[in-house]
Structure formats: structure tokens, C-alpha cells
């Protein structure tokens, strides 16, 4: 159960009334733009970087729109561990509610707890962020039953596309190219709804035993990937080159994501990891907000993200965007989403990989290119405002010298000098820290330039400005070296100008501490 936090003035679990004039302004804004549900208060069902970014984005938008950054009340959740380290999201929220500590199933991933807090605080909406409960269809359903807005997709859309097997079946039906996989032969009948896949069709796409996995790998061809449909954050995925490796690794995949269906997919060698950002409203409108290249990865986790895409020709990028729109429209998607693809550098072909039914960690890359505030757009979509009326590098506490093991402890000093083309924000301040249940990611660094080379140079200069002193170890120096090696010696060349603004985000996201689920 939740208890009321007193530091920011939350008394007996009841959110204090906002000024009548501000309420009226939000109502007028919503109604004037064709919305149907003004949102005056939001519970942030997340912590760390997700919560900090959302609070800052909504405050910025509120100030620009209503003349006050406090136009929308922002309520945080706070575990004892978060409070012990003086977590930044608690400090900057309007109010907070204390929740049980420990792993995220006790707090930020606990659907029943989130629902209870939303009810006792009388908020209008809940923002799930990424990781934790953000991809659990039970949360939007539970909130809807109580008349609370979920700032994400409907449960049916989330269930359809948040599942890797289901989304791949839907992609095939929507004429989006897929790699050879264990269900290449499985087709959804043309007359069927894509939102609900019949059980017999879904089961035909799965492999249930080691021998079935071997047989499927032999059909798609080695090397292949054994993947858990519910996996994420680098969990539930293994590359295999022969039958013996399948026998050795199949059980590992099952064990990492217990209960998850398993499927087989062909490995695409010499490929880049490309993706398209979507925002969709409640009326079937879908906007594509540029593209990103997230090919530099470690343990299937993005390290460096950049945008827009330059490795594929413009006509191919346009096809990626059109395919992403078809996919979202086919399941009546609402909210922010990212469609991920593999792009073959050898053949120029692209293949659907998955759809993330939430806002992704690296969304600031797109924000800088598209010049749109994505969390604010999520709030506007939640108000029922049509899209056409909406005005619309991560740093981690990991030690590269110790196998990138997450580290924790006090932070005596953390400082960063912003520059015109480089910006950073952190979930930790001087005097704070990182506890044992924290995500190892605690900062974003973003840089942009008029060319790819300038964006990278600005990023390196920005990273060199970071001063961190304390018990933790970080990936800052490692990332500087990585940028220098992997980008300044890129055989594609860095000096060719790119169309429009370029944005780069640098860091790591690793789920080894098991606190935030599958996050990209």
C-alpha cells in the first residue's frame, strides 16, 4: 500500500486543488483544439531518467503554453531507496507518494499499486515511461475501468504489437517485410482482425521444445537467433550457429524470460539497426517523426544513437516510414511508438524487427531533429486532441574496466557545462547517489550539428566537460574512445553533409540489475 509523502506537501494521499484560473486555462486549451478530456494532474509511474525527462518536458511545455510551469500537477512515486539517495525525480516533482522498496515488482512495475496510488491522489492520467509497467496491458485496462487516462496505447494495441511474435505476424499481414523466421509460413486470414490473433495461428508461430527449435533453425538457416517474445533489454536472446548450440542455449532463453513464448529468426549479417518514431492520435492519424540509426550496440543494448538515417537512401527511409504507419494503423494504435528494422548493407533490403509500444529512451534524438516535445505530445494525445492541432546520450554508472558491471554509491560532485549545441540532464545531483535497485543509466547527453561530423565532434567535447566524483564508475571515457574509433574512422565518411539537423545521443543502457525490464 502507498503512504503519503510529506516533503512536497501531499497530505493523506489527496492531491491539493490547483488554482482555478490554471484549471480553466487547461480546459480552454483542450476544448479549443478539439480535445475531449482535459488533463490537470499526472502520476508518473517511473523513476530515474524517465521521470526526470518527463517532468522537465511537461514543465517546459506548460510554461510555453500556459505561462506557468505548474499548470499540470506532477505526482511522483518514491521508494525508500530513492528517498535515501535524494533521487532527482522526487525533488523536482510537485508531490510524491511513498511506495514499498526493493525490486520493481514491488513498486514501479506493480499494476495494482499504481492503480491504488492513481485513485488516492485523484490524478487525471498516468504516464508509464519505459521499462517497469510500460508494456503491461493490464495497466491501461485497469486505469480505463477507473476512468483514468493512460498516456500510452490501448491494451489491445499494446498486446498485439508489444509481443514480438504477434507483431511479426501482424507485420506480415500488413505487407511489412520480415526476415525468415519460425512463422514465415503462417498467415493471418485477410478477413481477420489484426488486433486479436487467433490462438491456433499464434501457437503455430512458436517453438516449444529444443528439437522444434533445431528443426526451425534448419529451415531458416544458420546462424539464427533464439528469441523470447516477451524479452527486452538484451534478455531472452541467443545467437546459434549449429544444432549443438541450440541444445545448449534454448533452455537459457526460456529461463531468462520465464513463461514467454519462444521463436526462431534468421540472423541478418552486415546489417544496421534502423528505426522510425511514430506518434498516433485517437482518430486514426499517424505521424512519422524522422528516423534513427541505433546500430552501435553492446549485448543487444544501444550505446550510441544518431538521427536521421544516412546509411540508407532517402527512398528506402521513406519506405520504412510508410511501413511503420501501415503497422500502426492496422491495430488502431494510439500514442508514441517506435518501429525497429534491420537494414542489410549488402542488399539494401529492410526487415521488420519489432515495435516498442511506448516512448523510448532515445526519443530526445528525434525531439531535436523534429523540434517537437514528445512527452507533451503524449499528454495532448491523452486529452483527445487531434495530431494536426497539436503544437507540438545516456550516461550510466557502469565500470568499463570490470565488464561494465553496474556500480552504486554516493556522488560527491556531478557538474556539466552546457554549450549551444550540447545539452545534458541527470537523475542524480551532487550529494545524491545510485542505490542497488536503480537503473544504471543516470544521464543523457545530446549533441547536434549541421553535419554528422560536427554532431559527433560536439558530443565528444560535451562528454569531456562532465565532471563526476564519487563512489560510482561511469562509461564517459569509454564512450569518448568509442566515438573516436567507430565514427572518425567510419568507411562511409563523415564529412558529407546531411539533410537538416543531426542529433546524437551517447551512452549505455544495460538491464543487468534487473530493475527496468526491457528498455531500448
Amino acid at each position: 500500500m502507498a503512504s503519503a509523502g510529506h516533503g512536497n506537501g501531499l497530505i493523506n494521499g489527496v492531491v491539493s486543488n490547483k488554482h482555478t484560473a490554471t484549471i480553466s486555462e487547461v480546459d480552454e486549451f483542450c476544448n479549443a483544439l478539439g480535445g475531449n478530456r482535459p488533463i490537470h494532474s499526472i502520476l508518473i509511474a517511473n523513476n530515474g531518467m524517465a521521470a526526470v525527462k518527463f517532468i522537465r518536458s511537461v514543465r517546459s511545455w506548460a510554461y510555453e503554453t500556459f505561462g506557468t510551469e505548474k499548470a499540470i500537477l506532477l505526482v511522483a512515486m518514491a521508494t525508500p531507496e530513492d528517498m535515501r539517495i535524494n533521487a532527482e525525480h522526487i525533488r523536482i516533482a510537485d508531490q510524491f507518494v511513498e511506495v514499498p522498496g526493493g525490486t520493481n515488482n514491488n513498486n514501479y512495475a506493480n499494476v495494482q499499486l499504481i492503480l491504488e496510488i492513481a485513485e488516492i491522489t485523484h490524478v487525471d492520467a498516468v504516464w508509464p515511461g519505459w521499462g517497469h509497467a510500460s508494456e503491461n496491458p493490464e495497466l491501461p485496462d485497469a486505469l480505463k475501468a477507473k476512468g483514468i487516462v493512460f498516456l500510452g496505447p490501448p491494451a489491445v494495441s499494446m498486446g498485439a504489437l508489444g509481443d514480438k511474435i504477434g507483431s511479426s505476424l501482424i507485420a506480415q499481414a500488413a505487407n511489412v517485410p520480415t526476415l525468415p523466421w519460425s512463422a514465415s509460413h503462417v498467415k493471418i486470414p485477410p478477413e481477420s482482425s489484426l488486433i486479436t490473433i487467433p490462438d491456433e495461428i499464434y501457437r503455430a508461430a512458436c517453438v516449444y521444445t529444443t528439437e522444434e527449435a533445431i528443426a526451425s533453425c534448419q529451415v531458416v538457416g544458420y546462424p539464427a537467433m533464439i528469441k523470447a517474445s516477451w524479452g527486452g533489454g538484451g534478455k531472452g536472446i541467443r545467437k546459434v550457429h549449429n544444432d549443438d548450440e541450440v541444445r545448449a542455449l534454448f533452455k537459457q532463453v526460456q529461463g531468462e524470460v520465464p513463461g514467454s513464448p519462444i521463436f526462431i529468426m534468421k540472423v541478418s549479417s552486415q546489417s544496421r539497426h534502423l528505426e522510425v518514431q511514430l506518434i498516433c492520435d485517437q482518430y486514426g492519424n499517424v505521424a512519422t517523426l524522422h528516423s534513427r540509426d541505433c546500430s552501435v550496440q553492446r549485448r543487444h543494448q544501444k550505446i550510441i544513437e544518431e538521427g536521421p538515417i544516412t546509411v540508407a537512401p532517402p527512398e528506402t527511409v521513406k519506405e520504412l516510414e510508410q511501413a511503420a504507419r501501415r503497422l500502426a494503423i492496422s491495430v488502431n494504435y494510439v500514442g508514441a511508438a517506435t518501429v525497429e528494422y534491420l537494414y542489410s548493407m549488402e542488399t539494401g533490403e529492410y526487415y521488420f524487427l519489432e515495435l516498442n509500444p511506448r516512448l523510448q529512451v532515445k526519443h530526445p534524438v528525434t525531439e531535436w531533429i523534429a523540434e517537437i516535445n514528445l512527452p507533451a505530445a503524449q499528454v495532448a494525445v491523452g486529452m483527445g486532441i487531434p495530431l494536426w492541432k497539436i503544437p507540438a546520450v545516456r550516461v550510466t554508472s557502469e565500470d568499463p574496466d570490470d565488464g561494465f558491471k553496474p556500480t552504486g554509491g554516493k556522488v560527491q560532485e556531478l557538474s556539466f557545462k552546457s554549450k549551444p549545441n550540447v545539452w545534458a540532464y541527470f537523475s542524480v545531483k551532487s550529494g545524491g547517489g545510485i542505490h542497488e535497485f536503480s537503473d544504471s543509466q543516470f544521464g543523457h547527453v545530446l549533441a547536434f550539428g549541421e553535419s554528422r561530423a560536427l554532431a559527433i565532434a560536439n558530443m565528444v567535447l560535451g562528454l569531456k566537460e562532465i565532471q563526476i566524483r564519487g563512489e560510482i564508475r561511469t562509461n564517459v571515457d569509454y564512450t569518448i574512445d568509442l566515438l573516436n574509433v567507430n565514427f572518425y574512422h567510419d568507411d562511409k565518411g563523415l564529412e558529407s553533409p546531411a539533410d537538416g539537423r543531426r542529433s546524437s545521443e551517447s551512452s549505455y543502457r544495460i538491464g543487468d540489475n534487473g530493475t527496468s525490464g526491457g528498455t531500448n
Side-chain angles (χ1 to χ4, degrees), residues 30-100:
C30 178
N31 295 332
L33 295 180
N36 51 33
R37 177 70 184 271
I39 292 175
H40 300 285
S41 54
I42 302 171
L43 172 66
I44 303 166
N46 215 300
N47 63 345
M49 290 308 304
V52 170
K53 175 59 168 63
F54 183 78
I55 293 171
R56 290 192 172 188
S57 293
V58 172
R59 291 263 175 82
S60 175
W61 169 72
Y63 184 81
E64 293 172 1
T65 305
F66 306 108
T68 171
E69 63 178 15
K70 297 301 182 74
I72 294 179
L73 191 75
L74 301 177
V75 183
M77 296 169 61
T79 67
E81 295 87 358
D82 286 333
M83 296 180 70
R84 186 181 74 231
I85 63 168
N86 192 27
E88 183 71 359
H89 78 282
I90 302 173
R91 189 184 69 82
I92 64 176
D94 294 308
Q95 297 170 331
F96 70 88
V97 178
E98 296 179 25
V99 297

Side-chain angles (χ1 to χ4, degrees), residues 108-171:
Y108 301 106
N110 188 317
V111 170
Q112 186 58 38
L113 177 66
I114 294 169
L115 180 64
E116 290 173 2
I117 294 174
E119 287 189 284
I120 66 172
T121 55
H122 303 293
V123 293
D124 297 316
V126 171
W127 185 76
W130 48 80
H132 298 311
S134 65
E135 297 183 54
N136 188 339
E138 294 179 8
L139 182 56
D141 265 350
L143 293 171
K144 182 179 179 181
K146 298 294 184 179
I148 301 169
V149 175
F150 177 70
L151 297 179
V156 288
S157 300
M158 182 187 291
L161 289 176
D163 177 279
K164 294 183 177 65
I165 291 175
S167 62
S168 295
L169 288 168
I170 294 169

